[in-house]
Amino acid sequence: MASSLTCTGVIWALLSFLCAATSCVGFFMPYWLWGSQLGKPVSFGTFRRCSYPVHDESRQMMVMVEECGRYASFQGIPSAEWRICTIVTGLGCGLLLLVALTALMGCCVSELISRTVGRVAGGIQFLGGLLIGSGCALYPLGWDSEEVRQTCGYISGQFDLGKCEIGWAYYCTGAGAAAAMLLCTWLACFSGKKQKHYPY
């Protein structure tokens, strides 16, 4: 089976897939922020949350529904910062995934990844990592929304967690992006084989 990748390129392809998968899983999971409300654990992502309060008509009180799901609409996301974060991080994850799948195809298809294509792919990975990093930086700006304040003891604010904690999915998303920016971008420069020059 012919490959268009060097030995370094194969490592780049595998690492690219690992970074993309790590960022995408972290982005999709609603465990960016942990807290509690009405004695039940609550967690938030950028566009999903677990456990939410509803008014129980029979008992005339608020109860927590312990389910995970996305917000009913894009406008339902608690803050404008989180809406921007969702778009920016989603775009970044899409770019990382696109490059990772192309790199994996380069393991099986000859002359798919040249040195130039490898460098362009590295630039796209850097951009993807930068977008995800920007999304992670924007996320704390939404901690002053009413939903978050209810969960964090009404003492949270922008860049102030109150009684909440940062969840594993936030670190997962950021770590995948950082590795893509720092390692994959560098390895991409040495990933493609020099193209053959044909006489025609």
Side-chain angles (χ1 to χ4, degrees):
M1 183 164 45
S3 171
S4 59
L5 296 173
T6 60
C7 290
T8 305
V10 173
I11 295 167
W12 166 68
L14 296 174
L15 190 62
S16 294
F17 181 74
L18 189 64
C19 290
T22 303
S23 286
C24 289
V25 166
F27 172 58
F28 186 73
M29 291 294 166
Y31 306 117
W32 283 40
L33 188 66
W34 290 97
S36 66
Q37 191 175 348
L38 301 176
K40 303 288 184 184
V42 177
S43 61
F44 296 93
T46 60
F47 63 97
R48 300 179 76 213
R49 84 173 269 175
C50 289
S51 299
Y52 53 91
V54 292
H55 190 264
D56 188 338
E57 295 294 334
S58 60
R59 292 188 284 175
Q60 290 297 307
M61 60 184 288
M62 295 298 284
V63 295
M64 293 300 286
V65 177
E66 295 184 73
E67 293 176 357
C68 294
R70 60 183 179 80
Y71 290 99
S73 68
F74 187 69
Q75 292 302 318
I77 296 172
S79 68
E81 292 87 359
W82 282 14
R83 290 192 283 273
I84 295 167
C85 178
T86 300
I87 293 168
V88 168
T89 308
L91 278 172
C93 286
L95 289 176
L96 290 190
L97 208 53
L98 177 71
V99 172
L101 295 175
T102 305
L104 288 176
M105 283 176 56
C107 294
C108 311
V109 180
S110 63
E111 298 184 22
L112 177 67
I113 310 281
S114 65
R115 286 186 182 175
T116 306
V117 171
R119 289 177 181 143
V120 170
I124 293 170
Q125 282 181 310
F126 188 83
L127 177 62
L130 199 62
L131 286 169
I132 296 170
S134 301
C136 289
L138 279 170
Y139 188 70
L141 291 171
W143 293 349
D144 63 347
S145 68
E146 184 60 25
E147 278 191 40
V148 175
R149 286 176 59 78
Q150 286 172 359
T151 304
C152 301
Y154 288 99
I155 53 173
S156 67
Q158 292 185 343
F159 295 97
D160 183 1
L161 281 168
K163 293 182 179 177
C164 290
E165 297 175 4
I166 291 178
W168 65 265
Y170 181 82
Y171 293 116
C172 197
T173 308
M181 281 179 72
L182 301 173
L183 281 175
C184 295
T185 300
W186 177 66
L187 289 172
C189 297
F190 312 102
S191 62
K193 290 178 180 173
K194 193 172 183 179
Q195 295 291 70
K196 293 175 185 174
H197 294 286
Y198 295 101
Y200 51 85

